[in-house]
Coordinates of all heavy atoms in Angstrom, one line a residue:
P831 N -31.5 9.8 -16.3 CA -32.6 9.4 -15.4 C -32.1 8.4 -14.3 O -31.3 7.5 -14.6 CB -33.6 8.7 -16.3 CG -33.4 9.3 -17.6 CD -31.9 9.6 -17.7
G832 N -32.5 8.7 -13.0 CA -32.1 7.8 -12.0 C -30.9 8.4 -11.2 O -30.7 8.0 -10.0
G833 N -30.1 9.3 -11.7 CA -29.0 9.9 -11.0 C -29.6 10.8 -9.9 O -30.7 11.2 -10.0
T834 N -28.8 11.0 -8.9 CA -29.3 11.9 -7.8 C -29.0 13.3 -8.1 O -28.2 13.7 -9.0 CB -28.7 11.5 -6.4 OG1 -27.3 11.9 -6.4 CG2 -28.8 10.0 -6.1
A835 N -29.7 14.2 -7.3 CA -29.5 15.7 -7.5 C -29.5 16.3 -6.1 O -30.5 16.1 -5.4 CB -30.6 16.3 -8.3
A836 N -28.4 16.9 -5.7 CA -28.5 17.6 -4.4 C -29.5 18.8 -4.5 O -29.5 19.4 -5.5 CB -27.1 18.1 -4.0
R837 N -30.2 19.0 -3.4 CA -31.3 20.0 -3.4 C -30.7 21.4 -3.2 O -30.0 21.6 -2.2 CB -32.3 19.7 -2.4 CG -33.5 20.6 -2.4 CD -34.7 20.0 -1.7 NE -35.8 21.1 -1.7 CZ -36.2 21.7 -0.6 NH1 -35.7 21.4 0.6 NH2 -37.1 22.6 -0.6
R838 N -30.9 22.3 -4.1 CA -30.5 23.7 -3.9 C -31.8 24.5 -4.1 O -32.5 24.3 -5.0 CB -29.5 24.1 -4.9 CG -28.2 23.3 -4.7 CD -27.4 23.8 -3.5 NE -26.1 23.2 -3.4 CZ -25.9 22.0 -2.7 NH1 -26.9 21.4 -2.1 NH2 -24.7 21.5 -2.6
L839 N -31.9 25.5 -3.2 CA -33.1 26.4 -3.2 C -33.0 27.6 -4.2 O -31.8 27.9 -4.6 CB -33.4 26.9 -1.8 CG -33.7 25.8 -0.8 CD1 -33.9 26.4 0.6 CD2 -34.9 25.0 -1.2
S840 N -34.1 28.1 -4.6 CA -34.0 29.2 -5.6 C -33.2 30.4 -5.2 O -32.5 31.0 -5.9 CB -35.4 29.6 -6.0 OG -36.0 28.7 -6.8
K841 N -33.3 30.7 -3.9 CA -32.5 31.8 -3.4 C -31.0 31.6 -3.6 O -30.2 32.5 -3.6 CB -32.8 32.2 -1.9 CG -32.5 31.1 -0.9 CD -32.7 31.6 0.5 CE -32.9 30.5 1.5 NZ -31.9 29.4 1.5
E842 N -30.6 30.3 -3.8 CA -29.2 30.0 -4.0 C -28.9 29.9 -5.5 O -27.8 29.5 -5.9 CB -28.8 28.7 -3.2 CG -29.0 28.8 -1.8 CD -29.1 27.4 -1.1 OE1 -29.1 26.4 -1.8 OE2 -29.0 27.4 0.1
G843 N -29.9 30.1 -6.3 CA -29.7 29.9 -7.7 C -29.9 31.2 -8.5 O -28.9 32.0 -8.5
W844 N -31.0 31.5 -9.1 CA -31.2 32.7 -9.8 C -32.6 33.2 -9.6 O -33.5 32.5 -9.1 CB -31.0 32.4 -11.3 CG -31.9 31.5 -12.0 CD1 -32.2 30.2 -11.7 CD2 -32.8 31.9 -13.0 NE1 -33.1 29.7 -12.5 CE2 -33.6 30.7 -13.3 CE3 -33.1 33.0 -13.7 CZ2 -34.5 30.7 -14.3 CZ3 -34.1 33.0 -14.7 CH2 -34.8 31.8 -15.0
P845 N -32.9 34.5 -9.8 CA -34.2 35.0 -9.5 C -35.3 34.5 -10.5 O -35.7 35.1 -11.4 CB -34.0 36.6 -9.8 CG -32.7 36.7 -10.6 CD -31.9 35.5 -10.4
N846 N -35.6 33.3 -10.2 CA -36.6 32.5 -10.9 C -38.0 33.0 -10.6 O -38.4 33.0 -9.4 CB -36.5 31.1 -10.6 CG -37.4 30.2 -11.4 OD1 -38.4 30.6 -11.9 ND2 -37.0 28.9 -11.5
P847 N -38.8 33.4 -11.6 CA -40.2 33.9 -11.3 C -41.0 32.9 -10.6 O -42.0 33.2 -9.9 CB -40.7 34.3 -12.6 CG -39.8 33.7 -13.7 CD -38.5 33.5 -13.0
D848 N -40.7 31.6 -10.9 CA -41.5 30.5 -10.3 C -40.8 29.9 -9.1 O -41.0 28.7 -8.8 CB -41.7 29.4 -11.3 CG -42.6 29.8 -12.5 OD1 -43.6 30.6 -12.2 OD2 -42.4 29.4 -13.6
A849 N -40.0 30.7 -8.4 CA -39.2 30.2 -7.3 C -39.9 29.3 -6.3 O -39.5 28.2 -6.0 CB -38.5 31.3 -6.6
A850 N -41.0 29.8 -5.8 CA -41.8 29.0 -4.8 C -42.2 27.7 -5.3 O -42.1 26.6 -4.6 CB -43.0 29.8 -4.3
K851 N -42.7 27.7 -6.5 CA -43.2 26.4 -7.2 C -42.0 25.4 -7.4 O -42.1 24.2 -7.1 CB -43.8 26.7 -8.5 CG -45.2 26.3 -8.7 CD -45.9 26.9 -9.9 CE -45.8 26.0 -11.1 NZ -46.3 26.6 -12.3
V852 N -40.9 25.9 -7.9 CA -39.7 25.1 -8.1 C -39.2 24.5 -6.8 O -38.9 23.3 -6.8 CB -38.6 25.9 -8.9 CG1 -37.3 25.1 -8.9 CG2 -39.1 26.3 -10.2
D853 N -39.1 25.3 -5.8 CA -38.6 24.8 -4.5 C -39.5 23.8 -3.9 O -39.1 22.8 -3.4 CB -38.5 26.0 -3.5 CG -37.3 26.9 -3.9 OD1 -36.5 26.5 -4.8 OD2 -37.2 28.0 -3.4
A854 N -40.8 24.0 -4.1 CA -41.8 23.0 -3.5 C -41.6 21.7 -4.3 O -41.7 20.6 -3.7 CB -43.2 23.5 -3.7
Y855 N -41.4 21.8 -5.6 CA -41.2 20.6 -6.4 C -40.0 19.8 -6.0 O -40.0 18.6 -5.8 CB -41.2 21.0 -7.9 CG -41.1 19.8 -8.8 CD1 -42.3 19.3 -9.4 CD2 -39.9 19.1 -9.1 CE1 -42.2 18.1 -10.3 CE2 -39.9 18.0 -10.0 CZ -41.0 17.5 -10.5 OH -41.0 16.4 -11.4
T856 N -38.9 20.5 -5.9 CA -37.6 19.8 -5.5 C -37.7 19.2 -4.2 O -37.1 18.1 -3.9 CB -36.4 20.8 -5.6 OG1 -36.6 21.8 -4.6 CG2 -36.2 21.4 -6.9
K857 N -38.5 19.8 -3.3 CA -38.6 19.2 -2.0 C -39.3 17.8 -2.0 O -38.8 16.9 -1.2 CB -39.5 20.2 -1.1 CG -39.4 19.8 0.4 CD -40.0 20.8 1.3 CE -39.8 20.4 2.7 NZ -40.4 21.2 3.7
V858 N -40.3 17.6 -2.8 CA -40.9 16.3 -2.8 C -40.3 15.4 -3.9 O -40.8 14.2 -4.1 CB -42.5 16.4 -3.0 CG1 -43.1 17.0 -1.7 CG2 -42.8 17.3 -4.2
H859 N -39.3 15.9 -4.6 CA -38.7 15.0 -5.7 C -37.2 14.9 -5.5 O -36.5 14.9 -6.4 CB -39.0 15.6 -7.1 CG -40.5 15.5 -7.5 ND1 -41.0 14.4 -8.1 CD2 -41.5 16.3 -7.3 CE1 -42.3 14.5 -8.3 NE2 -42.7 15.7 -7.8
K860 N -36.8 14.9 -4.2 CA -35.4 14.6 -3.8 C -34.4 15.5 -4.6 O -33.4 15.0 -5.1 CB -35.1 13.1 -4.1 CG -35.8 12.1 -3.2 CD -35.3 10.7 -3.5 CE -36.0 9.7 -2.6 NZ -35.8 8.4 -3.2
G861 N -34.7 16.7 -4.8 CA -33.8 17.6 -5.4 C -34.0 17.7 -6.9 O -33.4 18.6 -7.5
H862 N -34.7 16.8 -7.5 CA -34.9 16.9 -8.9 C -35.9 18.0 -9.3 O -36.7 18.4 -8.5 CB -35.5 15.5 -9.5 CG -34.5 14.4 -9.3 ND1 -34.6 13.4 -8.4 CD2 -33.3 14.1 -10.0 CE1 -33.6 12.5 -8.5 NE2 -32.8 13.0 -9.4
W863 N -35.7 18.6 -10.5 CA -36.6 19.7 -10.9 C -37.2 19.4 -12.3 O -38.1 20.2 -12.7 CB -35.7 21.0 -11.0 CG -34.6 20.9 -12.0 CD1 -34.6 21.2 -13.3 CD2 -33.2 20.4 -11.7 NE1 -33.3 21.0 -13.8 CE2 -32.5 20.5 -12.8 CE3 -32.6 20.0 -10.5 CZ2 -31.1 20.2 -12.9 CZ3 -31.3 19.6 -10.5 CH2 -30.6 19.7 -11.7
D864 N -36.8 18.3 -12.9 CA -37.4 18.0 -14.3 C -37.9 16.5 -14.2 O -37.1 15.6 -13.8 CB -36.2 18.1 -15.3 CG -36.7 17.8 -16.7 OD1 -37.6 17.0 -16.9 OD2 -36.1 18.5 -17.6
P865 N -39.2 16.3 -14.5 CA -39.7 14.9 -14.4 C -38.9 13.9 -15.1 O -38.9 12.7 -14.6 CB -41.1 15.1 -15.1 CG -41.4 16.5 -15.0 CD -40.1 17.3 -15.1
V866 N -38.2 14.2 -16.1 CA -37.4 13.2 -16.8 C -36.3 12.6 -16.0 O -35.9 11.4 -16.2 CB -36.8 13.7 -18.2 CG1 -35.6 14.6 -17.9 CG2 -36.5 12.6 -19.1
Q867 N -35.9 13.3 -15.0 CA -34.8 12.9 -14.1 C -35.3 11.7 -13.3 O -34.4 10.9 -12.7 CB -34.4 14.0 -13.2 CG -33.7 15.2 -13.9 CD -33.5 16.4 -13.0 OE1 -34.3 16.7 -12.2 NE2 -32.4 17.1 -13.3
E868 N -36.6 11.5 -13.1 CA -37.1 10.4 -12.3 C -37.7 9.3 -13.1 O -38.5 8.5 -12.5 CB -38.0 11.0 -11.3 CG -37.3 11.9 -10.3 CD -38.3 12.5 -9.3 OE1 -39.1 13.3 -9.7 OE2 -38.2 12.2 -8.1
T869 N -37.3 9.1 -14.3 CA -37.9 8.1 -15.2 C -37.1 6.8 -15.1 O -37.4 5.9 -15.9 CB -38.1 8.5 -16.6 OG1 -36.8 9.0 -17.1 CG2 -39.1 9.7 -16.8
A870 N -36.2 6.7 -14.2 CA -35.4 5.4 -14.0 C -35.1 5.4 -12.5 O -35.1 6.4 -11.8 CB -34.2 5.4 -14.8
T871 N -34.7 4.2 -12.0 CA -34.3 4.1 -10.6 C -32.8 4.4 -10.5 O -32.0 4.4 -11.5 CB -34.5 2.7 -10.0 OG1 -33.7 1.8 -10.8 CG2 -36.0 2.3 -10.2
F872 N -32.3 4.6 -9.3 CA -30.9 4.9 -9.0 C -30.1 3.6 -9.5 O -29.0 3.7 -10.0 CB -30.7 5.2 -7.5 CG -29.2 5.5 -7.2 CD1 -28.6 6.5 -7.7 CD2 -28.6 4.6 -6.3 CE1 -27.2 6.8 -7.4 CE2 -27.2 4.9 -6.0 CZ -26.6 6.0 -6.5
E873 N -30.7 2.5 -9.2 CA -30.0 1.2 -9.6 C -29.9 1.1 -11.1 O -28.8 0.7 -11.6 CB -30.8 0.0 -9.0 CG -29.8 -1.2 -8.8 CD -30.5 -2.4 -8.2 OE1 -31.8 -2.4 -8.2 OE2 -29.8 -3.3 -7.8
D874 N -30.9 1.5 -11.8 CA -30.9 1.5 -13.3 C -29.7 2.4 -13.7 O -28.9 2.0 -14.6 CB -32.1 2.1 -13.9 CG -33.4 1.3 -13.7 OD1 -33.2 0.1 -13.5 OD2 -34.5 1.8 -13.8
Y875 N -29.6 3.6 -13.1 CA -28.5 4.5 -13.5 C -27.1 3.9 -13.2 O -26.2 4.0 -14.0 CB -28.7 5.8 -12.8 CG -27.5 6.6 -12.6 CD1 -26.8 7.3 -13.7 CD2 -26.8 6.6 -11.4 CE1 -25.6 7.9 -13.5 CE2 -25.6 7.3 -11.2 CZ -25.0 7.9 -12.3 OH -23.8 8.6 -12.1
I876 N -27.0 3.3 -12.0 CA -25.7 2.7 -11.6 C -25.3 1.6 -12.6 O -24.2 1.6 -13.1 CB -25.8 2.2 -10.1 CG1 -25.8 3.4 -9.2 CG2 -24.6 1.3 -9.8 CD1 -24.6 4.3 -9.1
D877 N -26.3 0.7 -12.9 CA -26.0 -0.4 -13.7 C -25.8 0.0 -15.2 O -25.0 -0.6 -15.9 CB -27.1 -1.5 -13.6 CG -27.1 -2.1 -12.2 OD1 -26.1 -2.0 -11.5 OD2 -28.2 -2.7 -11.9
G878 N -26.6 0.9 -15.6 CA -26.7 1.3 -17.0 C -25.7 2.4 -17.5 O -25.3 2.5 -18.6
V879 N -25.3 3.2 -16.5 CA -24.4 4.3 -16.9 C -23.1 4.4 -16.1 O -22.0 4.3 -16.6 CB -25.2 5.7 -16.7 CG1 -24.3 6.9 -17.0 CG2 -26.4 5.7 -17.5
A880 N -23.3 4.5 -14.7 CA -22.1 4.7 -13.9 C -21.1 3.6 -14.0 O -19.9 3.8 -14.2 CB -22.5 5.0 -12.5
V881 N -21.5 2.3 -13.8 CA -20.6 1.2 -13.8 C -20.0 1.0 -15.2 O -18.7 1.0 -15.3 CB -21.3 -0.1 -13.3 CG1 -20.5 -1.3 -13.6 CG2 -21.6 0.0 -11.8
P882 N -20.8 1.0 -16.2 CA -20.1 0.8 -17.6 C -19.2 2.0 -17.9 O -18.1 1.8 -18.5 CB -21.3 0.8 -18.6 CG -22.5 0.9 -17.8 CD -22.2 0.8 -16.3
Q883 N -19.5 3.2 -17.5 CA -18.6 4.3 -17.8 C -17.3 4.3 -17.0 O -16.3 4.6 -17.6 CB -19.4 5.7 -17.6 CG -20.4 6.0 -18.7 CD -20.9 7.4 -18.7 OE1 -20.8 8.1 -17.7 NE2 -21.3 7.8 -19.8
V884 N -17.4 3.9 -15.8 CA -16.2 3.8 -15.0 C -15.3 2.7 -15.6 O -14.1 2.8 -15.7 CB -16.5 3.5 -13.5 CG1 -15.2 3.1 -12.8 CG2 -17.1 4.7 -12.9
R885 N -16.0 1.6 -16.1 CA -15.2 0.6 -16.8 C -14.5 1.2 -18.0 O -13.4 0.9 -18.3 CB -16.1 -0.6 -17.2 CG -15.4 -1.9 -17.6 CD -16.4 -3.0 -17.9 NE -17.3 -3.3 -16.8 CZ -18.7 -3.5 -17.0 NH1 -19.2 -3.4 -18.2 NH2 -19.4 -3.7 -16.0
E886 N -15.3 2.0 -18.8 CA -14.7 2.6 -20.0 C -13.5 3.5 -19.7 O -12.4 3.4 -20.3 CB -15.7 3.4 -20.7 CG -16.8 2.6 -21.4 CD -18.0 3.4 -21.9 OE1 -18.2 4.6 -21.5 OE2 -18.7 2.9 -22.8
I887 N -13.6 4.4 -18.7 CA -12.5 5.3 -18.4 C -11.3 4.6 -17.8 O -10.2 5.1 -17.9 CB -12.9 6.5 -17.5 CG1 -13.5 6.1 -16.2 CG2 -13.9 7.4 -18.3 CD1 -13.8 7.3 -15.3
L888 N -11.5 3.4 -17.2 CA -10.4 2.6 -16.6 C -9.8 1.6 -17.6 O -8.9 0.9 -17.3 CB -10.8 1.9 -15.3 CG -11.2 2.8 -14.2 CD1 -11.5 2.0 -12.9 CD2 -10.2 3.9 -13.9
S889 N -10.5 1.5 -18.8 CA -10.0 0.6 -19.8 C -9.4 1.2 -21.0 O -8.5 0.6 -21.7 CB -11.1 -0.3 -20.3 OG -11.8 -1.0 -19.2
N890 N -9.8 2.4 -21.4 CA -9.5 2.9 -22.8 C -8.5 4.0 -22.9 O -8.3 4.5 -23.9 CB -10.8 3.4 -23.4 CG -11.9 2.3 -23.5 OD1 -11.6 1.1 -23.5 ND2 -13.1 2.7 -23.6

Side-chain angles (χ1 to χ4, degrees):
T834 71
R837 185 164 174 248
R838 295 286 181 272
L839 301 176
S840 286
K841 63 175 160 48
E842 301 163 349
W844 66 296
N846 185 337
D848 291 324
K851 239 169 94 184
V852 171
D853 288 348
Y855 186 94
T856 62
K857 191 168 183 186
V858 290
H859 291 271
K860 294 186 178 159
H862 293 109
W863 59 92
D864 183 326
V866 78
Q867 295 169 323
E868 292 177 293
T869 53
T871 66
F872 183 61
E873 206 180 12
D874 292 338
Y875 155 74
I876 290 292
D877 294 342
V879 179
V881 167
Q883 287 196 334
V884 168
R885 195 178 304 135
E886 290 172 339
I887 59 175
L888 296 184
S889 304
N890 302 338

